[in-house]
C-alpha cells in the first residue's frame, strides 16, 4: 500500500473515496459519528494506510495566532487560557506520524497533518443544517490551516455535508447551500456535499 507524502496525495485519495462515501451515506440514515466512520472506511478502501488515518484527533495549539482561535481562547475562564484544542473529525497524516496521533504527540500531529475533514449531517428531528454552523466550521478549518502554516507547515481543509434526510423539510435550503459553498470558496476550503439526489465535490487543492 503506497504511502501518502503530500497534500495532493491526500486530496487525490479523498477524490477517489468520494463516490464510495456518496453510495454508503445514501444507503443508511445515521448521525455524524457514523458518517465519520464511513469516511474513514472509504479512505481505507481506496488505499490510505491505517498508520496515516486518524479520527477525532485531539490536538493542542499553544498561544494561537489566528484571530478566531484567539477569540475562542479568550472566552474561556482565565485559568484555562493559553491555547486551543481543535478536534478534526478525520485526518490524513504524512508517513512520519507513524500511527501515533495521541494528544501528547501534539507537535507531530500538527506538523504531519496533510488533510483535515469536518463532517456535518442532517440528523435533527424537525430541524436542518443551517448556514451559521457550517460557516463556523469553515472558518474553524481555515483558522486551523493558518495555525499550521504559522508553524511552518501546511494542510488541506475540507468541509463535508451529509444531507440525506428523507424529509425535505429536514434538508438544507438552496440559499443556505449556496451561501455555504460561497464561503468555502472564499476561504479556500474544499466543499463536499451530498443529498439523496445531488452531490457536489469542489476541491480547492
Amino acid at each position: 500500500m503506497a504511502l501518502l507524502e503530500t497534500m495532493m496525495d491526500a486530496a487525490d485519495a479523498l477524490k477517489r473515496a468520494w463516490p464510495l462515501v456518496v453510495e454508503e451515506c445514501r444507503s443508511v440514515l445515521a448521525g455524524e459519528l457514523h458518517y465519520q466512520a464511513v469516511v474513514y472506511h472509504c479512505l481505507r478502501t481506496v488505499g490510505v494506510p491505517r498508520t496515516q488515518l486518524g479520527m477525532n484527533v485531539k490536538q493542542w495549539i499553544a498561544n494561537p495566532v489566528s484571530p478566531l482561535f484567539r477569540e475562542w481562547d479568550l472566552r474561556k475562564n482565565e485559568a484555562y487560557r493559553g491555547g486551543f484544542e481543535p478536534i478534526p473529525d478525520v485526518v490524513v497524516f504524512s508517513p512520519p506520524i507513524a500511527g501515533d496521533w495521541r494528544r501528547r504527540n501534539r507537535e507531530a500531529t500538527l506538523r504531519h497533518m496533510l488533510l483535515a475533514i469536518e463532517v456535518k449531517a442532517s440528523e435533527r428531528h424537525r430541524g436542518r443544517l443551517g448556514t451559521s454552523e457550517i460557516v463556523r466550521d469553515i472558518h474553524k478549518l481555515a483558522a486551523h490551516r493558518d495555525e499550521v502554516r504559522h508553524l511552518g507547515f501546511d494542510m488541506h481543509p475540507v468541509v463535508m455535508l451529509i444531507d440525506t434526510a428523507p424529509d425535505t423539510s429536514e434538508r438544507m435550503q438552496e440559499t443556505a447551500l449556496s451561501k455555504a459553498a460561497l464561503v468555502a470558496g472564499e476561504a479556500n476550503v474544499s466543499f463536499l456535499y451530498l443529498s439523496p439526489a445531488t452531490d457536489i465535490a469542489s476541491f480547492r487543492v
Side-chain angles (χ1 to χ4, degrees):
M1 190 171 293
L3 298 178
L4 307 183
E5 303 282 353
T6 67
M7 289 192 302
M8 185 62 73
D9 291 341
D12 285 345
L14 181 56
K15 290 176 184 178
R16 295 196 307 274
W18 178 241
L20 302 177
V21 173
V22 172
E23 181 182 1
E24 290 279 342
C25 291
R26 282 178 176 165
S27 68
V28 297
L29 296 173
E32 285 179 5
L33 289 176
H34 178 86
Y35 293 128
Q36 290 170 23
V38 167
V39 174
Y40 178 95
H41 166 74
C42 293
L43 285 167
R44 289 282 293 124
T45 298
V46 299
V48 177
R50 64 174 64 90
T51 55
Q52 289 186 248
L53 186 60
M55 281 182 60
N56 297 304
V57 178
K58 289 188 176 182
Q59 299 180 312
W60 177 253
I61 298 171
N63 303 311
V65 298
S66 64
L68 183 64
F69 284 4
R70 289 175 67 182
E71 176 189 341
W72 289 353
D73 183 37
L74 289 173
R75 290 180 185 176
K76 296 184 293 188
N77 183 290
E78 189 171 354
Y80 298 99
R81 293 176 188 169
F84 183 74
E85 185 178 64
I87 311 174
D89 295 331
V90 180
V91 179
V92 179
F93 294 99
S94 59
I97 197 67
D100 184 0
W101 40 85
R102 293 172 294 178
R103 189 174 183 271
R104 73 186 72 174
N105 203 25
R106 55 182 179 255
E107 292 183 5
T109 62
L110 291 170
R111 181 185 310 120
H112 299 303
M113 186 163 48
L114 296 176
L115 181 146
I117 305 171
E118 289 288 339
V119 178
K120 305 296 289 185
S122 55
E123 58 176 317
R124 294 137 196 175
H125 181 54
R126 295 180 180 176
R128 65 178 88 210
L129 288 172
T131 307
S132 60
E133 63 182 306
I134 296 168
V135 167
R136 180 181 183 274
D137 266 6
I138 291 169
H139 288 159
K140 180 175 69 173
L141 283 161
H144 199 166
R145 177 184 55 204
D146 289 346
E147 298 288 350
V148 172
R149 286 177 173 174
H150 178 73
L151 296 173
F153 311 105
D154 206 357
M155 67 88 161
H156 180 65
V158 179
V159 63
M160 183 181 293
L161 311 180
I162 312 299
D163 197 24
T164 52
D167 188 338
T168 56
S169 68
E170 295 179 357
R171 294 203 297 268
M172 291 185 72
Q173 295 179 320
E174 188 62 37
T175 52
L177 177 59
S178 297
K179 174 64 174 178
L182 177 63
V183 172
E186 292 172 342
N188 205 29
V189 171
S190 285
F191 183 84
L192 278 67
Y193 170 87
L194 72 94
S195 70
T198 304
D199 71 271
I200 300 168
S202 178
F203 285 91
R204 297 282 175 169
V205 66

